[in-house]
Amino acid sequence: CNEILDRDNGASWKEANLTLQQIMGDYAGVEVRSETLLTAGLTYLRRLREKALAEVQATNAHDLLRCLETLDLMDCGETIFLTALERKETRAMHKRSDFPFTNPLLGEKFLTIRQENGQAVLEWREKL
């Protein structure tokens, strides 16, 4: 937080948020997803986060809150990309051009994601 507040120059949270929205819309919000699109979107999102962490600036507490919210939304976006990549099937609103069929073996399972030691861990578990 102090780094963001102490910067004399930098990008605003609005620029970072708008870029995030564009990435999510273009690569995750498409009607039909593919590994190529999802992987590209994840790459762009991770680059955006690095750039935002290095350059975003806040001049007051309100802007700092918006910066932190935008960084949190980037984490949520990464979760969307990772779970969409892991789900190698088409089901309901999740349509994959590279996996056009529904996998009946996954019908009674949930995909979970958590963070361990800074890394995403994805697991399939049975419905309760």
Side-chain angles (χ1 to χ4, degrees):
C1 291
N2 288 335
E3 286 181 29
I4 294 171
L5 285 168
D6 290 342
R7 290 191 180 114
D8 292 328
N9 295 320
S12 76
W13 67 269
K14 292 177 186 178
E15 293 175 81
N17 193 290
L18 183 61
T19 306
L20 171 62
Q21 290 177 37
Q22 192 71 49
I23 290 169
M24 295 306 296
D26 289 350
Y27 296 94
V30 293
E31 202 166 304
V32 178
R33 296 169 170 175
S34 69
E35 184 172 356
T36 304
L37 274 177
L38 293 168
T39 302
L42 181 59
T43 299
Y44 295 141
L45 177 65
R46 286 177 172 165
R47 286 182 190 164
L48 173 62
R49 182 189 295 119
E50 286 177 21
K51 194 162 183 68
L53 286 170
E55 296 183 17
V56 79
Q57 173 201 20
T59 57
N60 56 53
H62 174 78
D63 285 349
L64 176 62
L65 175 66
R66 297 294 181 214
C67 289
L68 297 176
E69 286 176 344
T70 300
L71 292 168
D72 185 54
L73 287 171
M74 289 178 192
D75 291 340
C76 293
E78 183 171 2
T79 300
I80 290 168
F81 280 117
L82 291 171
T83 54
L85 280 164
E86 178 67 21
R87 184 170 285 284
K88 294 175 174 41
E89 66 167 352
T90 291
R91 183 178 298 271
M93 298 294 291
H94 177 76
K95 295 175 177 64
R96 292 276 303 256
S97 61
D98 45 353
F99 295 98
F101 301 106
T102 300
N103 183 345
L105 300 175
L106 298 178
E108 296 298 318
K109 294 189 177 188
F110 284 113
L111 176 58
T112 63
I113 185 168
R114 68 179 185 280
Q115 192 177 65
E116 285 184 8
N117 301 320
Q119 298 295 317
V121 177
L122 293 106
E123 292 179 333
W124 289 94
R125 68 171 176 85
E126 298 292 329
K127 286 184 182 177
L128 301 176

